[in-house]
Amino acid sequence: MTKQNYELEHRDDGWVYIIDGRRSPFYSTRDEAVQAAEGESVPHTFDEELDDELDEGLEDTFPASDPVSVTRSGHTGGPDRSK
């Protein structure tokens, strides 16, 4: 795999890298942003999870006449059974 050219940008919230006009999630340090941009760490963001779920939903329902709907629970874990 070849390394892609990227740019680093400092913002109030932290550092981002830019590849092909697309901005990464925010990183707290410049070093973290460089590592992620160079592929030394894999960022795992909500958008990636949502994309994966949408792709899976499309594969499971194709062909279909209804659009795919991806929903996400607001909390983790099972139901509270202590009541």
Side-chain angles (χ1 to χ4, degrees):
M1 182 172 142
T2 62
K3 291 190 178 185
Q4 296 186 24
N5 293 327
Y6 62 90
E7 297 176 32
L8 290 176
E9 186 175 286
H10 185 259
R11 298 196 164 189
D12 292 337
D13 297 339
W15 290 87
V16 297
Y17 64 86
I18 305 165
I19 297 177
D20 295 331
R22 296 179 62 191
R23 285 182 166 69
S24 71
F26 285 97
Y27 294 89
S28 58
T29 67
R30 185 180 192 279
D31 289 337
E32 288 176 346
V34 168
Q35 285 181 337
E38 293 179 353
E40 295 171 13
S41 67
V42 179
H44 193 69
T45 65
F46 175 79
D47 290 338
E48 289 173 358
E49 289 178 25
L50 190 59
D51 286 346
D52 291 343
E53 290 177 14
L54 181 58
D55 287 343
E56 184 178 327
L58 287 170
E59 290 171 6
D60 291 345
T61 60
F62 184 80
S65 59
D66 296 331
V68 175
S69 175
V70 176
T71 59
R72 181 176 290 250
S73 174
H75 63 279
T76 59
D80 183 11
R81 300 190 189 267
S82 63
K83 294 180 182 179

Coordinates of all heavy atoms in Angstrom, one line a residue:
M1 N 0.9 -1.2 0.0 CA 0.0 0.0 0.0 C 0.9 1.2 0.0 O 1.8 1.3 0.8 CB -0.9 0.0 1.2 CG -1.9 1.1 1.3 SD -3.0 0.9 2.7 CE -3.1 2.5 3.3
T2 N 0.6 2.2 -0.9 CA 1.4 3.4 -0.9 C 0.8 4.5 0.0 O -0.5 4.5 0.2 CB 1.4 4.0 -2.4 OG1 0.1 4.3 -2.8 CG2 2.0 3.0 -3.3
K3 N 1.6 5.3 0.5 CA 1.1 6.4 1.4 C 0.5 7.5 0.6 O 1.1 7.8 -0.5 CB 2.3 6.9 2.3 CG 2.7 5.9 3.3 CD 3.7 6.5 4.3 CE 4.0 5.5 5.3 NZ 4.9 6.1 6.4
Q4 N -0.6 8.0 1.0 CA -1.2 9.1 0.3 C -0.7 10.4 0.8 O -0.3 10.5 2.0 CB -2.8 9.0 0.6 CG -3.4 7.8 0.0 CD -4.9 7.8 0.2 OE1 -5.5 8.9 0.3 NE2 -5.5 6.7 0.2
N5 N -0.8 11.4 0.0 CA -0.4 12.7 0.4 C -1.6 13.3 1.2 O -2.7 13.1 0.9 CB -0.2 13.6 -0.8 CG 1.0 13.2 -1.6 OD1 2.0 12.7 -1.1 ND2 1.0 13.4 -2.9
Y6 N -1.2 14.0 2.3 CA -2.2 14.6 3.1 C -1.7 15.9 3.6 O -0.5 16.2 3.6 CB -2.5 13.6 4.3 CG -1.3 13.4 5.2 CD1 -1.1 14.2 6.3 CD2 -0.5 12.3 5.0 CE1 0.0 14.0 7.1 CE2 0.6 12.1 5.8 CZ 0.8 12.9 6.9 OH 1.9 12.7 7.7
E7 N -2.6 16.7 4.1 CA -2.3 18.0 4.8 C -2.9 17.9 6.2 O -3.9 17.2 6.5 CB -3.0 19.1 4.0 CG -2.6 19.3 2.6 CD -3.4 20.4 1.9 OE1 -3.9 21.3 2.6 OE2 -3.7 20.3 0.7
L8 N -2.2 18.6 7.1 CA -2.6 18.7 8.5 C -3.2 20.1 8.7 O -2.7 21.1 8.1 CB -1.5 18.5 9.5 CG -0.9 17.1 9.5 CD1 0.2 17.0 10.5 CD2 -2.0 16.1 10.0
E9 N -4.3 20.1 9.5 CA -4.9 21.4 9.8 C -5.2 21.5 11.3 O -5.8 20.6 11.8 CB -6.2 21.5 9.0 CG -6.9 22.9 9.1 CD -8.1 22.9 8.2 OE1 -7.9 23.0 6.9 OE2 -9.2 22.8 8.7
H10 N -4.8 22.6 11.9 CA -5.0 22.8 13.3 C -6.3 23.6 13.5 O -6.5 24.6 12.8 CB -3.9 23.5 14.0 CG -4.0 23.6 15.5 ND1 -4.5 24.7 16.1 CD2 -3.9 22.6 16.4 CE1 -4.5 24.5 17.4 NE2 -4.2 23.2 17.6
R11 N -7.2 23.1 14.3 CA -8.4 23.8 14.6 C -8.5 24.0 16.1 O -7.8 23.4 16.9 CB -9.6 23.0 14.1 CG -9.6 22.9 12.6 CD -10.9 22.5 12.1 NE -10.9 22.8 10.6 CZ -12.0 22.7 10.0 NH1 -13.1 22.3 10.6 NH2 -12.0 22.9 8.7
D12 N -9.5 24.7 16.6 CA -9.7 24.9 18.0 C -10.0 23.5 18.7 O -9.5 23.3 19.9 CB -10.9 25.8 18.3 CG -10.6 27.2 17.8 OD1 -9.5 27.6 17.7 OD2 -11.6 28.0 17.6
D13 N -10.6 22.6 18.1 CA -11.0 21.3 18.7 C -9.8 20.3 18.6 O -9.9 19.3 19.2 CB -12.2 20.7 18.0 CG -13.4 21.5 18.1 OD1 -13.5 22.3 19.1 OD2 -14.4 21.4 17.3
G14 N -8.8 20.6 17.8 CA -7.7 19.7 17.7 C -7.1 19.7 16.3 O -7.2 20.7 15.6
W15 N -6.6 18.5 15.8 CA -6.0 18.4 14.5 C -6.8 17.5 13.6 O -7.4 16.5 14.1 CB -4.6 17.8 14.7 CG -3.6 18.7 15.4 CD1 -3.4 18.8 16.7 CD2 -2.7 19.6 14.7 NE1 -2.4 19.8 16.9 CE2 -2.0 20.2 15.7 CE3 -2.4 19.9 13.4 CZ2 -1.0 21.2 15.4 CZ3 -1.5 20.8 13.1 CH2 -0.8 21.5 14.1
V16 N -6.8 17.8 12.4 CA -7.4 16.9 11.3 C -6.4 16.8 10.2 O -5.5 17.6 10.0 CB -8.7 17.5 10.8 CG1 -9.8 17.6 11.9 CG2 -8.5 18.8 10.1
Y17 N -6.5 15.7 9.5 CA -5.8 15.5 8.3 C -6.8 15.6 7.1 O -7.9 15.2 7.2 CB -4.9 14.3 8.2 CG -5.7 13.0 8.3 CD1 -6.2 12.4 7.1 CD2 -5.9 12.3 9.5 CE1 -6.9 11.2 7.1 CE2 -6.6 11.1 9.5 CZ -7.0 10.5 8.3 OH -7.7 9.3 8.4
I18 N -6.3 16.0 5.9 CA -7.1 16.2 4.8 C -6.5 15.4 3.6 O -5.3 15.5 3.3 CB -7.2 17.6 4.4 CG1 -7.7 18.5 5.5 CG2 -8.1 17.8 3.2 CD1 -7.6 20.0 5.4
I19 N -7.3 14.4 3.1 CA -6.9 13.6 1.9 C -8.0 13.7 0.9 O -9.1 13.5 1.2 CB -6.7 12.1 2.3 CG1 -5.5 12.0 3.3 CG2 -6.4 11.3 1.1 CD1 -5.3 10.6 3.8
D20 N -7.6 14.2 -0.3 CA -8.5 14.3 -1.4 C -9.7 15.2 -1.0 O -10.8 14.9 -1.4 CB -9.0 13.0 -1.9 CG -7.9 12.1 -2.5 OD1 -7.0 12.7 -3.1 OD2 -8.0 10.9 -2.5
G21 N -9.5 16.2 -0.3 CA -10.5 17.2 0.1 C -11.4 16.7 1.2 O -12.3 17.4 1.6
R22 N -11.2 15.5 1.7 CA -12.0 15.0 2.8 C -11.3 15.1 4.2 O -10.1 14.7 4.3 CB -12.3 13.5 2.6 CG -13.2 13.3 1.3 CD -13.5 11.9 1.0 NE -14.3 11.3 2.1 CZ -14.5 10.0 2.3 NH1 -14.0 9.2 1.4 NH2 -15.2 9.6 3.3
R23 N -12.0 15.6 5.1 CA -11.4 15.9 6.5 C -11.6 14.7 7.4 O -12.7 14.1 7.4 CB -12.0 17.1 7.1 CG -11.5 18.4 6.5 CD -12.0 19.6 7.2 NE -11.3 20.8 6.9 CZ -11.3 21.4 5.7 NH1 -12.0 20.9 4.7 NH2 -10.6 22.5 5.5
S24 N -10.6 14.4 8.2 CA -10.7 13.3 9.1 C -11.5 13.7 10.4 O -11.7 14.9 10.5 CB -9.3 12.8 9.5 OG -8.7 13.8 10.4
P25 N -11.7 12.8 11.3 CA -12.2 13.2 12.6 C -11.1 14.0 13.3 O -10.0 14.0 12.9 CB -12.5 11.9 13.3 CG -12.4 10.8 12.3 CD -11.6 11.4 11.2
F26 N -11.5 14.6 14.4 CA -10.5 15.4 15.2 C -9.6 14.5 16.0 O -10.1 13.6 16.6 CB -11.2 16.4 16.1 CG -11.8 17.6 15.3 CD1 -13.1 17.6 15.0 CD2 -11.0 18.7 15.0 CE1 -13.6 18.7 14.3 CE2 -11.5 19.8 14.3 CZ -12.8 19.8 13.9
Y27 N -8.4 14.9 16.1 CA -7.4 14.2 17.0 C -6.9 15.3 18.0 O -6.7 16.4 17.6 CB -6.3 13.6 16.2 CG -6.7 12.5 15.3 CD1 -7.2 12.8 14.0 CD2 -6.8 11.2 15.7 CE1 -7.7 11.7 13.2 CE2 -7.2 10.2 14.9 CZ -7.7 10.5 13.7 OH -8.1 9.4 12.9
S28 N -6.6 14.8 19.2 CA -6.2 15.8 20.2 C -4.8 16.3 20.0 O -4.4 17.4 20.4 CB -6.3 15.2 21.6 OG -5.6 14.0 21.7
T29 N -3.9 15.5 19.4 CA -2.5 15.9 19.2 C -2.2 15.8 17.7 O -2.8 15.0 16.9 CB -1.5 15.1 20.0 OG1 -1.5 13.7 19.5 CG2 -1.8 15.1 21.4
R30 N -1.1 16.5 17.3 CA -0.7 16.5 15.9 C -0.1 15.1 15.6 O -0.4 14.6 14.5 CB 0.4 17.5 15.7 CG 0.9 17.7 14.3 CD 2.0 18.7 14.2 NE 2.3 19.1 12.8 CZ 3.1 18.3 12.0 NH1 3.7 17.2 12.5 NH2 3.3 18.7 10.8
D31 N 0.6 14.5 16.5 CA 1.1 13.2 16.3 C 0.1 12.1 16.1 O 0.2 11.2 15.2 CB 2.0 12.7 17.5 CG 3.3 13.5 17.6 OD1 3.8 14.0 16.6 OD2 3.8 13.6 18.7
E32 N -1.1 12.2 16.8 CA -2.2 11.2 16.5 C -2.7 11.4 15.1 O -3.0 10.4 14.4 CB -3.3 11.5 17.6 CG -2.9 11.0 18.9 CD -4.0 11.3 20.0 OE1 -4.9 12.1 19.6 OE2 -4.0 10.8 21.1
A33 N -2.8 12.7 14.7 CA -3.4 12.9 13.3 C -2.4 12.4 12.3 O -2.8 11.8 11.3 CB -3.6 14.4 13.1
V34 N -1.1 12.6 12.5 CA -0.1 12.1 11.5 C -0.1 10.5 11.5 O -0.1 9.9 10.4 CB 1.3 12.6 11.9 CG1 2.4 11.8 11.1 CG2 1.4 14.1 11.7
Q35 N -0.2 9.9 12.6 CA -0.3 8.4 12.7 C -1.5 7.9 11.9 O -1.4 7.0 11.1 CB -0.3 7.9 14.1 CG 1.0 8.0 14.8 CD 1.0 7.4 16.2 OE1 -0.1 7.4 16.8 NE2 2.1 7.0 16.7
A36 N -2.6 8.5 12.1 CA -3.9 8.1 11.5 C -3.8 8.3 10.0 O -4.2 7.5 9.1 CB -5.1 8.8 12.0
A37 N -3.2 9.5 9.6 CA -3.1 9.8 8.1 C -2.2 8.9 7.4 O -2.4 8.5 6.3 CB -2.6 11.3 8.0
E38 N -1.1 8.4 8.1 CA -0.2 7.5 7.5 C -0.6 6.1 7.6 O 0.2 5.2 7.3 CB 1.2 7.8 8.1 CG 1.7 9.2 7.7 CD 3.1 9.5 8.3 OE1 3.6 8.7 9.1 OE2 3.6 10.5 7.9
G39 N -1.7 5.8 8.2 CA -2.3 4.5 8.3 C -1.7 3.7 9.4 O -1.8 2.4 9.5
E40 N -1.0 4.3 10.4 CA -0.4 3.6 11.5 C -1.4 3.3 12.6 O -1.2 2.5 13.4 CB 0.8 4.4 12.0 CG 1.9 4.5 11.0 CD 3.0 5.4 11.4 OE1 3.0 5.8 12.6 OE2 3.8 5.8 10.6
S41 N -2.5 4.0 12.5 CA -3.6 3.7 13.4 C -4.9 3.8 12.6 O -5.0 4.5 11.6 CB -3.7 4.6 14.6 OG -4.0 5.9 14.2
V42 N -5.9 3.1 13.0 CA -7.2 3.1 12.3 C -8.2 3.8 13.1 O -8.6 3.4 14.2 CB -7.7 1.6 12.1 CG1 -9.0 1.6 11.3 CG2 -6.6 0.8 11.3
P43 N -8.6 5.0 12.6 CA -9.7 5.7 13.3 C -11.0 5.0 13.2 O -11.3 4.5 12.1 CB -9.7 7.1 12.6 CG -9.2 6.8 11.2 CD -8.2 5.6 11.4
H44 N -11.7 4.9 14.2 CA -13.1 4.3 14.2 C -14.1 5.3 14.6 O -14.1 5.7 15.8 CB -13.1 3.1 15.2 CG -14.3 2.2 15.0 ND1 -14.4 1.4 13.8 CD2 -15.4 2.0 15.7 CE1 -15.6 0.8 13.9 NE2 -16.1 1.1 15.0
T45 N -14.8 5.8 13.7 CA -15.8 6.9 14.0 C -17.2 6.4 13.8 O -17.5 5.3 13.2 CB -15.5 8.0 13.0 OG1 -15.8 7.6 11.7 CG2 -14.1 8.5 13.1
F46 N -18.1 7.2 14.3 CA -19.5 6.9 14.2 C -19.9 6.8 12.7 O -20.6 5.9 12.3 CB -20.3 8.0 14.9 CG -21.8 7.8 14.7 CD1 -22.5 6.9 15.4 CD2 -22.5 8.5 13.7 CE1 -23.9 6.7 15.2 CE2 -23.8 8.4 13.5 CZ -24.5 7.5 14.3
D47 N -19.3 7.6 11.9 CA -19.7 7.6 10.5 C -19.3 6.3 9.8 O -20.0 5.8 9.0 CB -19.0 8.8 9.7 CG -19.7 10.1 10.1 OD1 -20.8 10.1 10.6 OD2 -19.0 11.1 9.9
E48 N -18.1 5.8 10.2 CA -17.7 4.5 9.6 C -18.6 3.4 10.1 O -19.0 2.5 9.3 CB -16.3 4.2 10.1 CG -15.2 5.0 9.4 CD -13.9 4.8 10.0 OE1 -13.7 4.0 10.9 OE2 -12.9 5.5 9.5
E49 N -19.0 3.4 11.3 CA -20.0 2.4 11.8 C -21.3 2.5 11.1 O -21.9 1.5 10.7 CB -20.2 2.6 13.3 CG -19.1 2.2 14.2 CD -19.4 2.4 15.7 OE1 -20.5 2.4 16.0 OE2 -18.4 2.6 16.4
L50 N -21.8 3.7 10.9 CA -23.1 3.9 10.2 C -23.0 3.5 8.8 O -23.9 2.8 8.2 CB -23.5 5.4 10.3 CG -24.9 5.7 9.9 CD1 -25.9 5.0 10.7 CD2 -25.1 7.2 10.0
D51 N -21.8 3.8 8.1 CA -21.6 3.3 6.7 C -21.6 1.8 6.6 O -22.2 1.2 5.7 CB -20.3 3.9 6.2 CG -20.4 5.3 5.8 OD1 -21.5 5.9 5.8 OD2 -19.3 5.9 5.6
D52 N -21.0 1.1 7.6 CA -20.9 -0.3 7.6 C -22.3 -0.9 7.8 O -22.7 -1.9 7.1 CB -20.0 -0.8 8.7 CG -18.5 -0.6 8.4 OD1 -18.2 -0.2 7.2 OD2 -17.7 -0.6 9.4
E53 N -23.1 -0.3 8.7 CA -24.4 -0.8 9.0 C -25.3 -0.6 7.7 O -26.1 -1.5 7.4 CB -25.0 -0.1 10.2 CG -24.4 -0.6 11.5 CD -24.9 0.2 12.7 OE1 -26.0 0.9 12.5 OE2 -24.3 0.1 13.7
L54 N -25.2 0.5 7.1 CA -26.0 0.8 5.9 C -25.6 -0.1 4.8 O -26.5 -0.7 4.1 CB -25.8 2.3 5.4 CG -26.6 2.7 4.2 CD1 -28.0 2.5 4.5 CD2 -26.2 4.2 3.9
D55 N -24.3 -0.4 4.6 CA -23.9 -1.3 3.5 C -24.5 -2.7 3.8 O -24.9 -3.4 2.9 CB -22.4 -1.4 3.5 CG -21.7 -0.2 2.8 OD1 -22.5 0.6 2.1 OD2 -20.5 0.0 3.0
E56 N -24.4 -3.1 5.1 CA -24.9 -4.5 5.4 C -26.5 -4.5 5.2 O -27.0 -5.5 4.7 CB -24.6 -4.8 6.9 CG -25.1 -6.1 7.3 CD -24.7 -6.4 8.8 OE1 -23.7 -5.9 9.3 OE2 -25.5 -7.1 9.4
G57 N -27.1 -3.4 5.6 CA -28.6 -3.4 5.3 C -28.9 -3.4 3.8 O -29.9 -4.1 3.4
L58 N -28.1 -2.8 3.0 CA -28.4 -2.8 1.6 C -28.2 -4.2 1.0 O -29.0 -4.6 0.2 CB -27.5 -1.8 0.9 CG -27.8 -0.3 1.1 CD1 -26.7 0.6 0.5 CD2 -29.1 0.0 0.4
E59 N -27.1 -4.8 1.5 CA -26.8 -6.2 1.0 C -27.9 -7.2 1.4 O -28.3 -8.0 0.6 CB -25.5 -6.7 1.5 CG -24.3 -6.0 0.9 CD -23.0 -6.3 1.5 OE1 -23.0 -7.2 2.4 OE2 -22.0 -5.7 1.2
D60 N -28.4 -7.0 2.6 CA -29.5 -7.9 3.2 C -30.8 -7.7 2.5 O -31.6 -8.7 2.5 CB -29.6 -7.8 4.7 CG -28.4 -8.3 5.4 OD1 -27.6 -9.0 4.8 OD2 -28.2 -8.0 6.6
T61 N -31.1 -6.6 2.0 CA -32.4 -6.3 1.5 C -32.5 -6.1 0.0 O -33.6 -5.9 -0.5 CB -33.0 -5.0 2.1 OG1 -32.2 -3.9 1.8 CG2 -33.1 -5.2 3.7
F62 N -31.4 -6.2 -0.7 CA -31.4 -6.0 -2.1 C -31.9 -7.2 -2.9 O -31.5 -8.3 -2.5 CB -30.0 -5.6 -2.6 CG -30.0 -5.3 -4.1 CD1 -30.4 -4.0 -4.5 CD2 -29.6 -6.2 -5.0 CE1 -30.4 -3.7 -5.9 CE2 -29.6 -5.9 -6.4 CZ -30.0 -4.6 -6.8
P63 N -32.7 -7.2 -3.8 CA -33.5 -6.0 -4.3 C -34.7 -5.8 -3.5 O -35.3 -6.8 -3.0 CB -33.8 -6.3 -5.7 CG -33.9 -7.8 -5.8 CD -32.9 -8.3 -4.7
A64 N -35.1 -4.6 -3.3 CA -36.3 -4.3 -2.5 C -36.9 -3.0 -3.0 O -36.2 -2.1 -3.6 CB -36.0 -4.2 -1.1
S65 N -38.2 -2.8 -2.8 CA -38.8 -1.5 -3.2 C -38.7 -0.4 -2.1 O -38.9 0.7 -2.4 CB -40.2 -1.8 -3.6 OG -40.9 -2.3 -2.4
D66 N -38.5 -0.8 -0.8 CA -38.4 0.1 0.2 C -37.0 0.5 0.5 O -36.1 -0.3 0.5 CB -39.1 -0.4 1.5 CG -40.5 -0.8 1.3 OD1 -41.2 -0.1 0.5 OD2 -41.0 -1.7 2.0
P67 N -36.8 1.8 0.9 CA -35.4 2.2 1.2 C -35.0 1.6 2.5 O -35.8 1.3 3.4 CB -35.5 3.8 1.3 CG -37.0 4.0 1.6 CD -37.7 2.9 0.9
V68 N -33.7 1.5 2.7 CA -33.1 1.0 3.9 C -33.1 2.0 5.0 O -32.8 3.2 4.7 CB -31.6 0.5 3.6 CG1 -30.9 0.1 4.9 CG2 -31.6 -0.6 2.6
S69 N -33.4 1.6 6.2 CA -33.4 2.5 7.3 C -32.4 2.0 8.4 O -32.6 0.9 8.8 CB -34.8 2.7 7.9 OG -34.8 3.4 9.1
V70 N -31.5 2.8 8.7 CA -30.5 2.4 9.8 C -30.9 3.2 11.0 O -30.9 4.4 11.0 CB -29.1 2.7 9.4 CG1 -28.1 2.3 10.5 CG2 -28.7 1.9 8.1
T71 N -31.1 2.5 12.1 CA -31.4 3.1 13.4 C -30.4 2.6 14.4 O -29.8 1.6 14.3 CB -32.9 2.8 13.9 OG1 -33.0 1.4 14.0 CG2 -33.9 3.3 12.9
R72 N -30.3 3.4 15.4 CA -29.3 3.1 16.4 C -29.9 3.4 17.8 O -30.5 4.4 18.0 CB -28.0 4.0 16.2 CG -26.9 3.8 17.2 CD -25.8 4.7 16.7 NE -25.2 4.1 15.5 CZ -24.1 3.6 15.4 NH1 -23.3 3.5 16.5 NH2 -23.6 3.1 14.3
S73 N -29.6 2.5 18.7 CA -30.1 2.7 20.1 C -29.4 3.8 20.8 O -28.2 4.0 20.6 CB -30.0 1.4 20.9 OG -30.3 1.6 22.2
G74 N -30.0 4.5 21.7 CA -29.4 5.6 22.4 C -28.5 5.1 23.6 O -27.8 5.9 24.2
H75 N -28.6 3.9 23.9 CA -27.9 3.3 25.0 C -27.3 1.9 24.7 O -27.8 1.3 23.8 CB -28.8 3.2 26.3 CG -29.9 2.3 26.1 ND1 -31.1 2.7 25.5 CD2 -30.1 1.0 26.5 CE1 -31.9 1.7 25.5 NE2 -31.4 0.7 26.1
T76 N -26.4 1.5 25.5 CA -25.8 0.2 25.2 C -26.2 -0.8 26.2 O -26.8 -0.5 27.3 CB -24.2 0.3 25.3 OG1 -23.9 0.7 26.6 CG2 -23.7 1.3 24.3
G77 N -26.1 -2.1 25.9 CA -26.5 -3.1 26.8 C -27.9 -3.6 26.6 O -28.7 -3.0 25.8
G78 N -28.2 -4.6 27.4 CA -29.6 -5.1 27.3 C -30.5 -4.3 28.2 O -30.2 -3.4 28.9
P79 N -31.8 -4.8 28.3 CA -32.7 -4.1 29.2 C -32.4 -4.3 30.6 O -31.8 -5.2 31.0 CB -34.1 -4.8 28.8 CG -33.7 -6.1 28.2 CD -32.3 -5.9 27.6
D80 N -32.8 -3.3 31.4 CA -32.5 -3.4 32.9 C -33.5 -4.3 33.5 O -34.7 -4.0 33.6 CB -32.7 -2.0 33.5 CG -32.3 -1.9 35.0 OD1 -31.8 -3.0 35.5 OD2 -32.6 -0.9 35.6
R81 N -33.1 -5.5 34.0 CA -34.0 -6.5 34.5 C -34.0 -6.5 36.1 O -34.5 -7.4 36.7 CB -33.6 -7.8 34.0 CG -33.7 -7.9 32.5 CD -33.6 -9.3 32.0 NE -33.5 -9.3 30.5 CZ -34.5 -9.5 29.7 NH1 -35.7 -9.6 30.2 NH2 -34.3 -9.5 28.4
S82 N -33.4 -5.5 36.7 CA -33.3 -5.4 38.1 C -34.6 -4.9 38.8 O -34.7 -4.9 40.0 CB -32.1 -4.6 38.5 OG -32.3 -3.2 38.1
K83 N -35.5 -4.4 38.0 CA -36.7 -3.9 38.5 C -37.7 -4.9 38.9 O -37.9 -5.9 38.3 CB -37.4 -2.9 37.5 CG -36.5 -1.7 37.3 CD -37.1 -0.8 36.3 CE -36.2 0.4 36.1 NZ -36.7 1.3 35.2

